[in-house]
Amino acid sequence: MAPINVGLMGYGFSTKCFHLPFIEPNQELNVYAFLQRARAPVDTINMETGVHCTADYPHTKHYRTAETFFADPAIELVIICTNVETHAEFAEQALLAGKHVVVEKPFTVTSTEADHLIATAKKTGKVLTCFQNRRYDGDFQTISHLISKNAFGKITECEIHYDADSPAWVSKWDSPGLIPGEGMLYGLGSHTLDQALQLFGRPKSVTAFLRTLRGIESETDDAFTVILQYDGNQKDLLVTIKTTIVSPMERQMKLFVRGTEGSFLKFDEDLQADQVMAGMLSTGSSFGIEDPASYGLLSTVKEFDGKIQTFDKRSRKYIGKWPTTSGRYLSYYEDVVAAIRGQAELPVKPQQARDVIRLIELARESHNKGASVLWS
């Protein structure tokens, strides 16, 4: 079977760091075309790597307008890595042009836009998904496994962190007003809110606190705390999702889970993005493999794994550093290919991507009202 021709919209950091390194090794995908507004340079031989697609990928098609890009019948899968305000428009145009679509996070700006895209995908019969690569983080895979094996008994608390101490990139949020689609909720929150929904489902209510800590007066958040409360069998569960840019710690906190039978505490982010930026190939033997120093601490009332845990007389708990599952962003595009081929379910369903956007909307509503709001 011939590989699927991929057309990428945009040639910025996201395309080069989070997509191409995991598309190129996949023999079922062919990097066929780019949409980059900038004119192709005359001298591509002496151009610095990463500036223009024609220099880095001389054998691919280069389009400067969306109209000519979508009109190419050879493009089968479109990957949208443009500014968030264009996501819904470009995704709809791609679907109507008969293409399968991967949209970078955040999926859309509003849940209304997301609903419209879902209806369009259903009408066209094409695959529509969101790039939630953080589901393939080693830490998320690890906590998912431990929960599936009932390591914690009845879970009462879960904290999911994605903190970044004084990151330079927040300086681009320099508007005093709220720019639709901008801010930390739409940024890093798109990942961690998705993880919370995957682990525990839709909540009964949402309570949120948004802050601006980067030294300017602005409605665009750079720190947030979102609290999810549940009902039914999960009525005792409290899920907290947090990001802050003020976190002068040696190691950033990542996960904290407590339940009736055990707990798990983990620091440090998944290392795949840093490895790519350091020049490591995604197919390398050590790619995605975490240093044992970053393994999370598993404590349980009863022995969960005798090979890893030992009995601690002081706490009277079984304690052990639980090995982190290797992260593997390569699996995302392998799963997308399988879905397009009809061989497997879509890894990130568009309704799930829509629910993340709805959760962001409810978090903003809760913050503005100063009160908890029901899921709706």
Side-chain angles (χ1 to χ4, degrees):
M1 190 175 294
I4 297 167
N5 282 336
V6 177
L8 295 108
M9 303 187 73
Y11 198 62
F13 176 76
S14 172
T15 299
K16 291 175 284 190
C17 181
F18 290 110
H19 293 272
L20 286 169
F22 307 102
I23 292 172
E24 290 186 88
N26 191 322
Q27 295 184 357
E28 298 298 317
L29 295 173
N30 174 49
V31 178
Y32 170 82
F34 291 92
L35 171 67
Q36 186 176 8
R37 303 290 189 185
R39 187 185 302 275
V42 175
D43 180 11
T44 58
I45 296 175
N46 298 312
M47 175 168 280
E48 183 182 351
T49 300
V51 175
H52 203 279
C53 63
T54 56
D56 299 335
Y57 296 89
H59 302 296
T60 62
K61 299 278 188 179
H62 171 225
Y63 294 102
R64 298 184 63 201
T65 68
E67 292 74 19
T68 54
F69 177 86
F70 291 130
D72 187 336
I75 297 175
E76 299 170 270
L77 171 62
V78 169
I79 300 171
I80 300 172
C81 300
T82 53
N83 293 334
V84 61
E85 68 269 16
T86 66
H87 284 187
E89 175 188 359
F90 284 157
E92 181 180 19
Q93 290 179 20
L95 290 167
L96 293 176
K99 323 291 188 187
H100 303 292
V101 181
V102 171
V103 186
E104 244 295 359
K105 64 83 189 165
F107 188 47
T108 55
V109 176
T110 69
S111 58
T112 299
E113 290 176 337
D115 289 336
H116 180 70
L117 287 183
I118 292 169
T120 303
K122 185 176 181 180
K123 180 175 67 176
T124 60
K126 294 299 178 180
V127 165
L128 169 67
T129 188
C130 182
F131 187 65
Q132 284 292 359
N133 61 312
R134 294 291 177 174
R135 293 193 192 180
Y136 298 81
D137 278 0
D139 47 68
F140 182 69
Q141 292 290 314
T142 301
I143 198 65
S144 299
H145 169 75
L146 290 172
I147 290 175
S148 72
K149 297 300 182 181
N150 199 33
F152 310 114
K154 181 180 180 181
I155 298 174
T156 56
E157 291 180 273
C158 177
E159 290 185 21
I160 303 174
H161 290 248
Y162 196 163
D163 300 320
D165 189 42
S166 303
W169 45 266
V170 299
S171 62
K172 67 182 180 181
W173 298 332
D174 56 2
S175 171
L178 178 63
I179 306 299
E182 285 195 354
M184 204 62 88
L185 265 176
Y186 279 98
L188 301 186
S190 289
H191 289 306
T192 48
L193 295 173
D194 175 72
Q195 291 179 344
L197 291 173
Q198 287 307 295
L199 291 175
F200 304 108
R202 289 178 173 178
K204 177 184 179 182
S205 68
V206 180
T207 310
F209 307 90
L210 312 184
R211 297 290 184 266
T212 303
L213 305 177
R214 61 190 180 277
I216 68 170
E217 292 294 324
S218 175
E219 293 182 46
T220 300
D221 60 281
D222 55 32
F224 65 82
T225 298
V226 177
I227 300 171
L228 308 182
Q229 297 181 77
Y230 291 78
D231 55 9
N233 293 334
Q234 293 178 301
K235 64 182 178 61
D236 297 323
L237 172 63
L238 201 65
V239 177
T240 305
I241 306 102
K242 293 177 68 73
T243 286
T244 182
I245 62 167
V246 178
S247 188
M249 300 173 64
E250 179 187 8
R251 299 168 62 199
Q252 298 299 331
M253 188 171 171
K254 185 59 187 176
L255 291 165
F256 182 37
V257 179
R258 286 194 285 206
T260 56
E261 297 296 321
S263 67
F264 185 72
L265 176 61
K266 189 184 185 309
F267 292 82
D268 300 331
E269 284 295 330
D270 183 272
L271 69 167
Q272 292 177 85
D274 287 341
Q275 288 178 325
V276 167
M277 287 186 280
M280 186 180 292
L281 295 176
S282 61
T283 53
S285 60
S286 61
F287 191 84
I289 299 177
E290 191 170 75
D291 189 308
S294 295
Y295 290 175
L297 184 67
L298 176 67
S299 307
T300 56
V301 175
K302 300 175 182 178
E303 185 180 83
F304 181 73
D305 190 319
K307 295 180 181 179
I308 293 172
Q309 295 176 298
T310 57
F311 184 72
D312 176 60
K313 292 181 180 180
R314 184 183 61 82
S315 64
R316 300 193 62 79
K317 302 293 186 294
Y318 292 87
I319 311 295
K321 297 277 281 185
W322 189 266
T324 303
T325 303
S326 297
R328 195 172 187 276
Y329 293 164
L330 283 166
S331 296
Y332 175 83
Y333 275 109
E334 291 171 355
D335 291 347
V336 167
V337 167
I340 291 174
R341 302 286 197 209
Q343 299 165 349
E345 285 193 11
L346 195 59
V348 182
K349 297 177 175 59
Q351 182 64 46
Q352 296 170 344
R354 180 263 184 204
D355 282 353
V356 173
I357 302 304
R358 184 58 186 147
L359 182 49
I360 291 172
E361 292 173 333
L362 292 171
R364 173 63 64 174
E365 180 183 343
S366 169
H367 170 75
N368 290 341
K369 290 180 176 179
S372 298
V373 296
L374 296 177
W375 180 276
S376 61

